[in-house]
Amino acid sequence: MEAWRRQLDDPVSAFPIAKAGPAHIATLKTYDPPLSALEGRRLAGVRRRAKRLLFATEDGELVLLVHLMTAGRLKHLRAGEKGPKTPAFQLEFEGGSRLVLTEAGAKKRAGVWLLTPEAAGAELEHLGPEANELNAKRLGEILAADNRRLHSLLRDQRALAGIGRAWANEILHTAQLSPFALSSQLDEAEIARLAGAIDSELARGLFLRERGAGDKQVYRVHNRLGEPCHVCETPLARVDYEEHTVYYCPKCQTGGRTLKDRRLSRLLR
Ligand SMILES: [Zn+2]
């Protein structure tokens, strides 16, 4: 998300908006103020909050909030550059450049909200601190405040914002911690490792994404069942947990133990 933000920051603020829309009915989540309220205004650039991109108008009166979910893509097209036939959402700038939101697949999950700054603030209030801005002390407080399995806690945007399921896998592998370890039971060294892994993995992801790397190049653990661990060469394992599939190295992270699908073991007990 941070890589997207950096790419879009300059081009979207270069010209005022000439036309806002069209928007797919499932994508645009608000109707008041209307999209046309954006026309004639200039954006102040892009900010990011967790997985949301925020485009505030320069006059400070409106905020366009975009949540890409998993399949949404935002692209800036120069004047005359070919784009998708039916974008889920589009902003056209004076001079003819465009910001387009597309979404692969039939299901429209990505969302666009046009909000007042107050409403945007309320929308974002429940988010935890940004994961890439935490130190070990603050992370320790978050872990102690909410005793849960690490994979679940890392993904919870209310606890800390900006980590999805794939990065939770990458981070826990780098930190050499079990996805099922309980957050309040980490010792100081483990908390420091986790804080270091959050920083180094998110930075690594940003570095690669900015150079156009795809999932296969970025993820070393996520979605790599049976492939050798890049540290110890043990085949990577996976376990279903909550609604997610968790990938991990049984040697680096769980001391040789295989994690059990807890939903199933509960049923069989
Ligand atoms: Zn390993």
Side-chain angles (χ1 to χ4, degrees):
M1 288 307 302
E2 181 60 18
W4 292 100
R5 191 200 69 74
R6 291 189 189 187
Q7 271 178 23
L8 295 172
D9 199 34
D10 284 340
V12 299
S13 53
F15 295 99
I17 293 164
K19 186 167 178 357
H24 191 282
I25 188 162
T27 305
L28 184 63
K29 311 288 189 189
T30 53
Y31 57 90
D32 182 28
L35 272 186
S36 58
L38 281 171
E39 293 169 5
R41 296 182 206 251
R42 190 190 284 259
L43 298 175
V46 198
R47 285 181 305 137
R48 182 185 62 83
R49 190 75 175 89
K51 294 176 180 171
R52 294 148 184 84
L53 291 171
L54 302 164
F55 302 82
T57 57
E58 213 175 39
D59 57 20
E61 289 188 15
L62 294 169
V63 179
L64 186 73
L65 188 157
V66 177
H67 196 313
L68 297 172
M69 301 303 287
T70 48
R73 297 288 178 266
L74 257 188
K75 206 172 172 214
H76 182 265
L77 302 172
R78 293 182 306 272
E81 193 176 343
K82 261 208 151 169
K85 274 194 209 93
T86 50
F89 175 75
Q90 169 172 298
L91 287 180
E92 189 178 330
F93 299 95
E94 282 176 20
S97 66
R98 289 181 293 158
L99 179 71
V100 293
L101 167 64
T102 55
E103 193 166 17
K107 279 195 180 146
K108 297 294 174 225
R109 291 206 175 88
V112 171
W113 291 254
L114 184 59
L115 303 164
T116 61
E118 295 74 35
E123 189 77 24
L124 301 172
E125 203 172 31
H126 67 280
L127 290 173
E130 293 292 327
N132 62 347
E133 294 168 7
L134 288 176
N135 55 27
K137 182 170 173 288
R138 183 79 185 88
L139 178 65
E141 291 163 3
I142 292 169
L143 295 172
D146 197 355
N147 189 32
R148 285 156 63 188
R149 304 207 180 274
L150 286 181
H151 198 276
S152 164
L153 182 67
L154 288 182
R155 277 189 281 109
D156 184 345
Q157 305 299 307
R158 287 164 300 186
L160 70 177
I163 300 175
R165 66 198 169 103
W167 285 108
N169 289 331
E170 300 298 319
I171 288 165
L172 288 169
H173 181 272
T174 298
Q176 298 175 284
L177 291 168
S178 167
F180 285 0
L182 287 167
S183 59
S184 68
Q185 290 174 7
L186 299 195
D187 63 30
E188 216 165 296
E190 289 170 326
I191 293 171
R193 282 213 310 272
L194 184 56
I198 290 173
D199 282 348
S200 66
E201 283 301 293
L202 293 181
R204 185 175 67 82
L206 178 61
F207 178 86
L208 292 171
R209 291 292 193 202
E210 284 197 310
R211 282 149 188 83
D215 288 357
K216 219 34 194 162
Q217 294 155 284
V218 173
Y219 299 136
R220 303 187 289 195
V221 181
H222 180 69
N223 252 339
R224 289 187 180 272
L225 176 66
E227 294 182 36
C229 165
H230 67 91
V231 175
C232 74
E233 300 195 333
T234 301
L236 295 172
R238 77 172 179 205
V239 60
D240 287 327
Y241 173 52
E242 293 176 345
E243 72 280 27
H244 297 287
T245 302
V246 172
Y247 294 83
Y248 66 100
C249 171
K251 184 160 182 224
C252 292
Q253 293 177 259
T254 57
R257 271 174 300 117
T258 304
L259 299 175
K260 296 272 186 319
D261 178 344
R262 283 168 191 270
R263 296 168 307 177
L264 190 62
S265 24
R266 200 168 299 150
L267 283 174
L268 298 176
R269 197 173 289 159

